[in-house]
Amino acid sequence: MAIKDYIRERFFPHIWCPGCGHGMVLNALLRAFEDLAISKNEIVMVSGIGCSARISGYVDVHTLHTIHGRALAFATGVKMSRPELNLIVPMGDGDALAIGGNHFIHAARRNIDITAIVMNNRIYGMTGGQYSPLSGYGTLATTAPFINIDHAFDVVELAKAAGATFVARTTTYHVKQMSELFKEAILREGFSVIEVLTQCPTYFGRKNKAGSAVDMVKSFKDNTTPVGSKAKLESPGLIERGIFVQKDLPEYTREYDKVIERAMKKR
Amino acid sequence: MAKPKLKEHHINRDWCKGCGICVEFCPKKVLELDKQDKVVAVHFTNCICCKLCELRCPDLAIEIETEL
Ligand SMILES: Cc1ncc(C[n+]2csc(CCOP(=O)(O)OP(=O)(O)O)c2C)c(N)n1
Ligand code: SF4
Ligand code: SF4
Ligand code: SF4
């Protein structure tokens, strides 16, 4: 199928601002679907609230647009009742790690087969540019007009520590890598986290004088390096991208099936 | 592998928001924004059909059609 067959064309042009990175995540995800030749019936996309969460409205698969921070909880319910389906949960950084932080760590801990995508633009786009737990020390936001003194989470380290069995990072500059990571995450069993560094030119960009969308995408190229590269040793400030964790552990819904079996035998 | 040959740049002017991302990152500088901030394949003969513009467009507004 062509990528246009995976979208709800009637809702285009989409609502995202010119140059918003969320559209690039959508684009890469559609390419992943196309490459996998996956049927629309096999995919369930669940999102919460945020500019990022609007993505579920545009994709013509089974979709649930739920409440802020709770997408993973809804997705867990869907997966428990229909474990044969592929669950994809795209979230903003606020959605995933501010209000939704608790759901995030526990979904990772359980290793439930869900592909979690953190569309990290380091700000609350939808509500007007408040800082998020990923904005980072020294940034500016509507709610930090003088300076933000909160330190940022490292999504990769957090996901690793919480027990995710696939953890990766990429950026909107690296669109081919993004599609490849999405494909791997969809195909494998277990909780997968892909952090995508993405641009919100309207709020993060303007507040932090980061320039245009083009400038922000360029900065992802300039400020990142493949994981384990020599460049990181020479310039420790570079952000690594690639796959950080890839391991096999029993998946939650399969384990739950075994619990059901045991319970039935005892009857 | 034979090099893909360009048939046409399909540009959806209703969807293009003029962000300039495809223009900036085209390795052959094929694309430009017009007066209405919509993308145009001005130097289409230089296109190498790498499809980076298509893959990066946040608005799904540009597509490269190649000869089979
Ligand atoms: C329970 C609840 N609290 C707060 C809000 C207000 N709200 C809507 S979106 C949002 C944050 C959006 O930021 P993020 O998740 O990072 O996504 P972005 O818009 O940047 O893509 C907030 C706080 C809400 N909708 N529901
Ligand atoms: S406010 Fe930011 S995140 Fe929201 S659509 Fe605009 S650029 Fe994207
Ligand atoms: S990347 Fe897309 S929206 Fe941006 S200028 Fe090019 S065609 Fe238009
Ligand atoms: S296919 Fe490649 S060379 Fe051709 S216009 Fe797009 S980015 Fe430029």
Side-chain angles (χ1 to χ4, degrees), chain B residues 16-22 33 39 57-59 61-62:
Chain B
C16 171
K17 292 180 188 151
C19 68
I21 287 175
C22 59
L33 293 178
V39 85
C57 174
D59 287 87
I62 181 163

Side-chain angles (χ1 to χ4, degrees), chain A residues 3-4 7 9 12-14 16 18-20 23-24 27 30-31 173 175-176 199 214 217-218, chain B residues 12 14-21 24-25 50 52-60 62-63:
Chain A
I3 68 154
K4 291 268 160 74
I7 61 172
E9 261 190 74
F12 282 74
H14 58 53
W16 291 317
C20 174
M24 299 168 86
N27 190 329
L30 296 171
R31 311 276 162 193
Y173 177 81
V175 282
K176 287 185 179 173
Q199 70 280 8
V214 165
V217 175
K218 263 195 209 151
Chain B
N12 184 337
D14 292 332
W15 291 13
C16 171
K17 292 180 188 151
C19 68
I21 287 175
E24 175 67 27
F25 298 110
C50 67
L52 284 171
C53 49
E54 179 176 330
L55 298 178
R56 285 212 180 91
C57 174
D59 287 87
L60 311 178
I62 181 163
E63 208 179 318

Side-chain angles (χ1 to χ4, degrees), chain A residues 209-231:
Chain A
K209 305 213 169 12
S212 64
V214 165
D215 295 329
M216 294 177 85
V217 175
K218 263 195 209 151
S219 79
F220 294 142
K221 176 183 178 224
D222 297 339
N223 299 328
T224 63
T225 183
V227 54
S229 73
K230 251 215 213 125

Side-chain angles (χ1 to χ4, degrees), chain A residues 22 49-53 68 92-96 99 121 123-127:
Chain A
H22 293 346
I49 300 293
C51 295
S52 42
H68 194 34
D93 42 297
D95 203 27
I99 192 168
N121 58 15
I123 203 134
Y124 289 1
M126 177 163 268
T127 45

